[in-house]
């Protein structure tokens, strides 16, 4: 693919991102590129390109194209992966999420029983290698977190989020307990900051993920970060939930709209059990 198209995509995308500070929908980016092409006397799309997405994906080191089932694709500069956590104004509520195995590798404080996280590029998955075990030759060490880093991230959120009333003091106090990570999550839930914390955390993780991929010369994989509608998470409420996941269930429910909640079916035996406790 000629460099001129990389330049046109970069010019159009940079302009749109500077104006919106958000990911750019594919249709909007396509129109901007088409206009630039006309100004330079170029045929758009270029010969041999059947789909607009093929043009963008021809430059994986420069741009990230994020597919969303049932919705337009989103495009961001490869250096601005954190933008994938930004919601589109006027669009259906969306929540960017880090793929679960990647998320665990970036957020779980390593313990000897589980080892350290490594990424296997050929299989696009995360492996946890315990001390003394040898990782595959192609595996790349991931940037494991520490308790200090996790506490610092939450402290940064408290300063940026500026919760009203006593929320800021409560969140700060939660970080000084014997179980700070769990108590912080409880406080975030109590003060209705789950959605803000989620967006803040994913943005920071996406940036960290991108910096790691550049540092290790690994190409960005669109599956690492996914943007989905909040309502799609309602389906996960039907899945079996363990005692350890009750807190996560509460966090998910807080993200749902009244319309979403109305679509959830609760088994009759659970309803009867709850009524019996009143």
């Amino acid at each position: 693919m000629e460099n001129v198209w990389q330049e046109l995509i970069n010019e159009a995308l940079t302009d749109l991102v500077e104006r919106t500070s958000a990911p750019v929908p594919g249709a909007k980016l396509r129109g901007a590129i088409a206009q630039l092409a006309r100004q330079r006397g170029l045929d758009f799309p270029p010969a041999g390109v059947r789909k607009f997405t093929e043009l963008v994906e021809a430059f994986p080191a420069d741009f990230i194209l994020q597919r969303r089932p049932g919705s337009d694709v989103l495009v961001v500069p490869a250096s601005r992966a954190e933008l994938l956590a930004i919601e589109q104004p006027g669009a259906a509520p969306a929540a960017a999420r880090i793929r679960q195995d990647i998320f665990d590798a970036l957020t779980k404080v390593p313990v000897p029983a589980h080892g350290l996280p490594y990424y296997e590029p050929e299989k696009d998955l995360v492996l946890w290698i315990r001390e003394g075990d040898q990782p595959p030759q192609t595996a790349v060490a991931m940037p494991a977190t520490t308790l200090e880093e996790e506490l610092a991230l939450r402290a940064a959120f408290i300063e940026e989020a500026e919760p009203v009333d006593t929320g800021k003091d409560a969140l700060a106090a939660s970080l000084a307990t014997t179980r700070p990570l769990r108590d912080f999550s409880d406080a975030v839930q109590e003060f209705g900051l789950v959605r803000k914390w989620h967006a803040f955390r994913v943005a920071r993780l996406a940036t960290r993920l991108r910096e790691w991929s550049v540092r290790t010369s690994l190409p960005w994989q669109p599956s690492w970060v996914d943007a989905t509608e909040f309502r799609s998470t309602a389906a996960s409420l039907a899945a079996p939930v363990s005692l350890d996941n009750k807190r996560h269930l509460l966090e998910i429910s807080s993200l749902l709209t009244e319309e979403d909640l109305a679509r959830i079916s609760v088994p009759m035996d659970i309803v009867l059990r709850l009524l019996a406790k009143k």
Side-chain angles (χ1 to χ4, degrees):
M1 189 68 64
E2 298 179 16
N3 288 337
V4 64
W5 292 108
Q6 186 274 341
E7 295 173 2
L8 286 181
I9 298 172
N10 184 64
E11 181 178 342
L13 184 60
T14 299
D15 177 64
L16 291 169
V17 166
E18 287 181 351
R19 283 193 278 149
T20 64
S21 298
V24 179
K28 191 170 186 177
L29 178 61
R30 190 183 193 283
I33 295 172
Q35 183 176 356
L36 289 176
R38 284 195 299 270
Q39 294 173 355
R40 301 189 185 186
L42 299 173
D43 292 330
F44 181 79
V49 176
R50 296 175 301 171
K51 297 180 179 179
F52 171 68
T53 53
E54 292 180 0
L55 179 61
V56 177
E57 290 179 320
F59 307 99
D62 302 289
F63 315 111
I64 298 174
L65 186 146
Q66 200 71 36
R67 286 183 166 79
R68 301 178 299 166
S71 301
D72 195 3
V73 299
L74 295 177
V75 185
V76 298
S79 60
R80 299 295 307 278
E82 76 280 2
L83 291 176
L84 292 172
I86 303 297
E87 293 181 25
Q88 290 294 293
R97 57 181 292 273
I98 307 293
R99 200 178 75 192
Q100 190 61 50
D101 60 337
I102 301 291
F103 179 83
D104 290 344
L106 296 176
T107 61
K108 284 189 174 182
V109 178
V111 295
H114 295 117
L116 294 171
Y118 284 76
Y119 178 72
E120 176 55 84
E122 295 181 356
K123 297 180 180 179
D124 185 24
L125 54 79
V126 174
L127 306 172
W128 288 82
I129 307 298
R130 286 179 291 188
E131 185 178 357
D133 293 342
Q134 190 68 26
Q137 290 185 347
T138 55
V140 180
M142 296 196 69
T145 190
T146 64
L147 178 59
E148 290 72 23
E149 289 174 333
E150 291 300 310
L151 294 178
L153 178 65
R154 286 155 177 78
F157 170 75
I158 294 171
E159 290 301 317
E160 182 172 308
E162 297 183 352
V164 296
D165 301 327
T166 59
K168 191 168 187 175
D169 292 339
L171 288 173
S174 72
L175 299 183
T177 67
T178 57
R179 51 174 200 174
L181 302 185
R182 175 170 294 184
D183 287 345
F184 174 83
S185 294
D186 291 342
V188 164
Q189 172 71 33
E190 179 182 352
F191 289 95
L193 295 169
V194 171
R195 191 163 173 174
K196 286 186 177 181
W197 165 239
H198 173 84
F200 177 88
R201 192 183 197 187
V202 169
R204 294 298 184 92
L205 290 177
T207 297
R208 190 178 181 196
L209 189 59
R210 177 60 191 174
E211 291 173 347
W212 167 76
S213 70
V214 171
R215 188 169 62 250
T216 56
S217 299
L218 287 173
W220 178 274
Q221 299 297 322
S223 66
W224 290 350
V225 180
D226 181 34
T228 59
E229 292 185 5
F230 277 134
R231 68 186 60 186
S232 67
T233 62
S236 66
L237 297 179
V241 180
S242 67
L243 291 176
D244 292 336
N245 287 331
K246 282 186 177 180
R247 177 167 51 85
H248 299 297
L249 182 59
L250 289 174
E251 292 180 358
I252 290 174
S253 64
S254 71
L255 302 177
L256 301 179
T257 65
E258 292 295 332
E259 179 185 352
D260 296 329
L261 292 172
R263 296 168 55 196
I264 299 174
S265 298
V266 181
M268 184 57 67
D269 63 314
I270 294 179
V271 174
L272 294 174
R273 188 163 66 248
L274 293 174
L275 291 175
K277 291 182 178 180
K278 289 188 175 182

